[in-house]
Amino acid sequence: MKKVVLAYSGGLDTSCIIPWLKDRGYETIAFIADLGQGDDFKEIEKRAVKSGASKVYCLNLQKELIEDYAFKALKAGAVYENKYYLACALSRPLIAKHQVDIAKKEKAKGLVHGCTGKGNDQVRFETTYRLMAPKMEIIAPVRIWEFKTRDEEIDYLKTQSIKINVTKKSPYSIDTNIYGRAIECGILEDPWQEPPEDIYAMTSNPLKAPNKPTYVEIGFEKGIPIKIDGKAYKPVALIKKLNELAGKNGVGRVDMVENRLVGIKSREIYENPAGTVLNAARLELEALVLDRDTMYFKEQLSQKYAQLTYNGLWFTPLREQMDAYFDKVCKYMTGTVRLKLYKGSAQAVGRQSKYSRYQEQLATYGEGDQFDQSLAEGFNTLWAMPFQK
Ligand code: ARG
């Protein structure tokens, strides 16, 4: 039998894929990525075996997701279509990379994912597969198999005498990791409908959030957040702490219609408490330490970085080149931003840095003004000159 490695979530689709592949002469190794989605991984491992996997790998990739993916995107200021912090998009190349590593170690011949043909994730997985293991066969069963409904998949498992508890299907399709949560389908497919409250899991309803604001100080070093309220945190712990603080204040909800890579628009709801706070703080620190030209120029690259990430082009030369650029930009991104979290908003209310370019003696309208106003007349004269006739 040909050996393949499957990116296994434990859901009905990927559980069906295992016997479906066996019918076609494949032996499946299931790979489960723990990205902080909070599942019962022991249970999911058992489910993979019950479905017929010959071997199961479960790796905790949370640290790598935050350090090598999310923090790079943060330094780059990558926010897709100005709203989406890319939690799901960042996780796919990471999962695919480890899947390829396992496949090579196991001398497997193929890579399998459970994505549909309409989404971005298939592209993110397959582009990474193709770049890292160009010779391996790629199988996307959900795009080609005969099942049209969940019930047909459940019936199929019965015919294979596979007994796994299928949890009651929620009307939504949800993707979760420690950096954020994405929710689509069901009533959300009508872009006019306000999202019902029960779809949210990482953030409380801003209306029911505490009546007193939470102040939080985030310390950055070279663009990387390292402290909360003066206390040092490791990356994963920092994200968890911010998820908690922002989540309880209802911070981090996004409702958007986005342009998918495959050409359709989709309506997606995101919860990204930590990412929202971190990006608000980053923007504020940038405003303090970066010169004007750098700020305006980098903005264009931020957008490009977000598009590359969204479009599955993480492991490409341009993304790596841009990391070198953003490392340079972030050389002076050391300092602290104080934010006020209150009923859904994360507002910066203070900022400081040893690299601050803000000069109070030039800005002040009070005592100690050192701005030489006698220069202004000449400046104004020359500024308008090119346009005068
Ligand atoms: N639209 C987001 C992206 O392409 C999330 C995709 C997964 N969403 C979901 N609800 N299952 O990155």
Side-chain angles (χ1 to χ4, degrees), residues 143-160:
R143 285 202 303 240
I144 50 174
W145 67 18
E146 56 279 29
F147 315 124
K148 288 195 182 59
T149 61
R150 267 177 86 79
D151 285 340
E152 286 179 30
E153 290 179 36
I154 293 166
D155 287 344
Y156 170 71
L157 286 183
K158 277 190 201 137
T159 66
Q160 302 290 311

Side-chain angles (χ1 to χ4, degrees), residues 2-161:
K2 245 195 197 173
K3 225 193 262 178
V4 292
V5 180
L6 162 70
Y8 182 72
S9 71
L12 181 60
D13 286 344
T14 48
S15 297
C16 259
I17 284 177
I18 301 173
W20 188 88
L21 284 171
K22 194 177 264 171
D23 273 352
R24 283 152 186 82
Y26 292 95
E27 169 197 338
T28 303
I29 296 173
F31 164 46
I32 305 160
D34 171 0
L35 296 164
Q37 61 271 52
D39 289 337
D40 181 344
F41 293 106
K42 282 274 150 297
E43 222 16 74
I44 293 181
E45 282 182 34
K46 274 194 217 149
R47 191 175 295 187
V49 173
K50 272 191 198 163
S51 303
S54 63
K55 198 165 175 180
V56 184
Y57 281 80
C58 181
L59 301 181
N60 182 336
L61 304 178
Q62 295 182 40
K63 184 169 179 281
E64 212 176 329
L65 175 68
I66 298 306
E67 290 180 6
D68 298 344
Y69 294 76
F71 280 179
K72 280 188 174 148
L74 178 69
K75 281 169 78 175
V79 186
Y80 186 68
E81 296 182 343
N82 295 317
K83 287 177 116 175
Y84 170 36
Y85 296 103
L86 297 159
C88 171
L90 288 161
S91 74
R92 294 324 192 230
L94 168 65
I95 299 171
K97 173 180 173 281
H98 282 277
Q99 196 183 346
V100 168
D101 288 347
I102 292 169
K104 287 183 176 166
K105 191 173 128 198
E106 292 285 345
K107 300 200 172 17
K109 296 277 177 282
L111 298 156
V112 190
H113 65 73
C115 308
T116 76
K118 288 174 74 167
N120 300 310
D121 286 338
Q122 55 173 343
V123 185
R124 297 168 183 154
F125 276 111
E126 291 190 29
T127 306
T128 307
Y129 299 161
R130 283 171 215 274
L131 296 179
M132 296 201 161
K135 296 223 169 69
M136 281 201 207
E137 183 183 1
I138 297 172
I139 313 174
V142 176
R143 285 202 303 240
I144 50 174
W145 67 18
E146 56 279 29
F147 315 124
K148 288 195 182 59
T149 61
R150 267 177 86 79
D151 285 340
E152 286 179 30
E153 290 179 36
I154 293 166
D155 287 344
Y156 170 71
L157 286 183
K158 277 190 201 137
T159 66
Q160 302 290 311
S161 314

